[in-house]
Amino acid sequence: MTRTLDEWLSYQERVNVRSIELGLERVRAVWERMGAPAPARRVITVGGTNGKGSTVAMLEAMLGAAGQRVGCYTSPHLLRYNERIRIDGHDADDEALVASFERIEAARGEIPLTYFEFGTLAALDLFARAGLDVAVLEVGLGGRLDAVNIIDADIAVITTIDLDHMDWLGPDRDSIGVEKAGIARAGRLAVIGEPEPPAGLLQALEGIGAAIERAGVDFTTERASTGWQWRHRDGTVLSLPDPTLAAPVQYANAAASIAAFHGLQQVDAALATKDLAAAAALGVRSARVAARLQVLGGDPALVVDVGHNPQAARALAEWLDARPGVRVHAVYGALSDKDVAGVMQALGVRIAYWHLAGLDKDTPRGLSADALAGQLAAVLPEAPYDAHVDVGSALRAARASAGPGECVLAFGSFFVAAAVLAESAGGDSA
C-alpha cells in the first residue's frame, strides 16, 4: 500500500524508538545497499553550533549564480518537511520524497533508522538522481557521528563552536570542537568561520590532516562605509555588498561561505567560475533564510528568529544594540535541553517584557511556561513577564501590549519560529 508523505513521516517516528541515535554503521549499511552513488560531482558539508542554515543559503546562491546545479539538505524544517531537500532552489515535492522513502524501506530490511536518517538518505538519493554539480549538506547534530558524515566532503565548513547539545557532544568547546571536526577529511579543505576557535577543534583538524583555512588568518574581512571586502592570503580581494540577512554575524557566515566557494575553484577546475566576485556578490545579496531575524512587518514590528542558545542570543543582543531606544517585547519558548538561563542572561535588560510560551504541548522536549518563568525569576528577578500555554497565545499578548514604534521579537526554538510564521503568512523578509 502506498503511503502519503505524512504517513511516511509518522511511520519513520516509530521505526526506531530513539529520536536521536548517533553513529554511522546503520545508515551507511543502508546507503551501501542502495548502491552508494555519489550525491554530486562535489560535496560541501557545513557543521557548527550556529550559522549553518545561513551559510548553506549563501553557498547555494553563490553556486547558482556561477551556473552550477546545486542540491541542499538542511534541518529542521519550519512549515513543510519538503523544505529540507532543495534542488536548484526548489523544495522536493511529495511524490519524489515518497518514492525515495520507498526505495530506502526496500533497502533497509531489518535495520532501524531514525527519522533524521531516513531524511538524510532521501536527500542523498534524490541528489544522486538529479545529476548535480554540487551538494551542500548541513550537519544535523555534531558532525563525526552525524548521518551526513557517511559522505566524504570535498570541503568542510565549521561555522562556530559553542555550548549546545552538551549531553551528546561534550561539556566544553574543546570536546564539542572535536566532534564537529569529524566532517573534515585528510588533505581536503576545512574552513573555520570564527576567528577564535577552540584548541580542540584545531588539534582535531590537524590530526585528521585537513587543509585548514581560518577566519582572521587565511581570509579576512573589512567593513567599509558601504559594503565590505573579503581578502584571501593568495591575494584574492572581493568588494561585496552588505548581506541581505540582517544580523551582524552574517558577515562572518558570508566570509566562510566565500572561503568555501573560493576553495571549490581550486578543487575542481570544471566548476570554476570566470567571475568569482560577481557570483559571490550575488550570493551575499540574494541569500534569504526564513526565521533568521526575519522581519514580518507591522507596527509594532514583528521579528522572528530561530536562535536557541547563548551564542545565538548574543548575536540577537548585538542586533538589538544597533537599535537603541526601541522597546522590545520577547515571545520566548525553549526546549528542555537548552541553556535557558544563558539565553536570558545574554539578552538581559534589552528585553522590556517577556511573553513566555510553553512548548510542552508541541514536543516532549518542550518546556512549560511555568518552567521558563522559574528560570527567568532566578536569572532576571526584576524582569516583567506573563506566561502562556502556547506560542500563539504569547504572540497575541505581545502584539496587544506592544505600542507603535516598538518591536515584538519571537525566538528560542524552531517550534516558536514555525508557529509565528504560520500565524503571520505573507510577511516580508529582511
Side-chain angles (χ1 to χ4, degrees), residues 356-371:
L356 304 175
L359 297 183
D360 48 316
K361 294 183 179 179
D362 296 296
T363 170
R365 297 166 59 207
L367 286 174
S368 68
D370 288 343

Side-chain angles (χ1 to χ4, degrees), residues 26-65:
R26 290 171 298 100
V27 68
R28 178 180 284 128
V30 178
W31 186 231
E32 288 174 351
R33 290 180 184 182
M34 296 176 72
R41 180 184 176 94
R42 297 293 176 181
V43 174
I44 301 174
T45 299
V46 180
T49 303
N50 293 303
K52 297 187 295 294
S54 299
T55 299
V56 169
M58 290 188 198
L59 274 168
E60 179 182 30
M62 291 176 198
L63 292 162

Side-chain angles (χ1 to χ4, degrees), residues 185-247:
R185 297 295 188 267
R188 300 185 183 182
L189 178 62
V191 174
I192 301 176
E194 63 179 321
E196 297 181 6
L201 172 65
L202 295 174
Q203 291 166 3
L205 289 173
E206 290 167 357
I208 290 168
I212 302 170
E213 287 193 3
R214 290 177 56 181
V217 177
D218 301 290
F219 60 94
T220 59
T221 62
E222 183 178 351
R223 300 281 292 274
S225 56
T226 58
W228 58 296
Q229 283 193 332
W230 182 91
R231 297 174 179 270
H232 192 270
R233 65 167 187 257
D234 69 1
T236 301
V237 180
L238 305 180
S239 294
L240 301 160
D242 294 319
T244 298
L245 293 168

Side-chain angles (χ1 to χ4, degrees), residues 212-381:
I212 302 170
E213 287 193 3
R214 290 177 56 181
V217 177
D218 301 290
F219 60 94
T220 59
T221 62
E222 183 178 351
R223 300 281 292 274
S225 56
T226 58
W228 58 296
Q229 283 193 332
W230 182 91
R231 297 174 179 270
H232 192 270
R233 65 167 187 257
D234 69 1
T236 301
V237 180
L238 305 180
S239 294
L240 301 160
D242 294 319
T244 298
L245 293 168
V249 73
Q250 296 296 354
Y251 288 91
N253 293 333
S257 302
I258 294 168
F261 184 51
H262 172 268
L264 186 65
Q265 319 300 304
Q266 323 306 316
V267 168
D268 194 332
L271 297 181
T273 177
K274 294 180 179 179
D275 198 339
L276 181 73
L282 184 58
V284 167
R285 188 171 61 246
S286 64
R288 287 172 170 79
V289 193
R292 273 65 169 185
L293 279 175
Q294 183 178 2
V295 180
L296 298 175
D299 189 12
L302 174 60
V303 182
V304 59
D305 192 84
V306 295
H308 54 268
N309 52 43
Q311 185 182 61
R314 292 191 294 271
L316 284 175
E318 186 180 359
W319 183 77
L320 291 173
D321 287 343
R323 290 152 179 79
V326 176
R327 194 166 187 267
V328 180
H329 294 248
V331 174
Y332 178 61
L335 302 182
S336 59
D337 59 345
K338 301 304 175 186
D339 183 0
V340 171
V343 168
M344 292 173 170
Q345 287 171 340
L347 288 162
V349 296
R350 297 174 183 85
I351 305 300
Y353 201 96
W354 295 79
H355 303 269
L356 304 175
L359 297 183
D360 48 316
K361 294 183 179 179
D362 296 296
T363 170
R365 297 166 59 207
L367 286 174
S368 68
D370 288 343
L372 292 173
Q375 297 221 38
L376 184 65
V379 175
L380 300 170

Side-chain angles (χ1 to χ4, degrees), residues 4-229:
T4 66
L5 177 58
D6 286 343
E7 288 169 342
W8 267 110
L9 298 178
S10 177
Y11 168 75
Q12 290 165 22
E13 292 175 338
R14 303 191 304 271
V15 170
N16 191 327
V17 294
R18 300 181 182 181
S19 59
I20 299 173
E21 185 174 359
L22 296 178
L24 304 181
E25 294 81 7
R26 290 171 298 100
V27 68
R28 178 180 284 128
V30 178
W31 186 231
E32 288 174 351
R33 290 180 184 182
M34 296 176 72
R41 180 184 176 94
R42 297 293 176 181
V43 174
I44 301 174
T45 299
V46 180
T49 303
N50 293 303
K52 297 187 295 294
S54 299
T55 299
V56 169
M58 290 188 198
L59 274 168
E60 179 182 30
M62 291 176 198
L63 292 162
Q68 309 302 332
R69 297 206 64 219
V70 187
C72 292
Y73 174 52
T74 60
S75 65
H77 62 279
L78 283 165
L79 300 180
R80 299 175 67 241
Y81 184 91
N82 312 60
E83 299 165 19
R84 295 180 178 226
I85 301 173
R86 292 192 307 279
I87 295 176
D88 288 337
H90 300 288
D91 295 347
D93 60 33
D94 287 11
E95 183 179 359
L97 286 165
V98 166
S100 186
F101 290 148
E102 289 173 349
R103 290 189 288 270
I104 294 165
E105 182 71 0
R108 77 172 184 87
E110 75 292 348
I111 299 174
L113 297 174
T114 66
Y115 180 94
F116 179 77
E117 289 166 346
F118 265 103
T120 301
L121 289 171
L124 298 179
D125 175 48
L126 294 177
F127 291 167
R129 293 169 180 272
L132 300 176
D133 295 306
V134 183
V136 185
L137 309 178
E138 179 188 336
V139 171
L141 176 61
R144 182 176 63 92
L145 298 176
D146 187 85
V148 303
N149 205 34
I150 64 171
I151 302 299
D152 292 328
D154 296 284
I155 298 173
V157 181
I158 300 168
T159 55
T160 62
I161 304 293
D162 205 60
L163 302 181
D164 201 7
H165 299 297
M166 291 182 287
D167 289 346
W168 295 96
L169 305 180
D172 51 46
R173 291 183 75 227
D174 282 326
S175 54
I176 293 171
V178 170
E179 290 299 317
K180 294 187 184 292
I183 64 174
R185 297 295 188 267
R188 300 185 183 182
L189 178 62
V191 174
I192 301 176
E194 63 179 321
E196 297 181 6
L201 172 65
L202 295 174
Q203 291 166 3
L205 289 173
E206 290 167 357
I208 290 168
I212 302 170
E213 287 193 3
R214 290 177 56 181
V217 177
D218 301 290
F219 60 94
T220 59
T221 62
E222 183 178 351
R223 300 281 292 274
S225 56
T226 58
W228 58 296
Q229 283 193 332

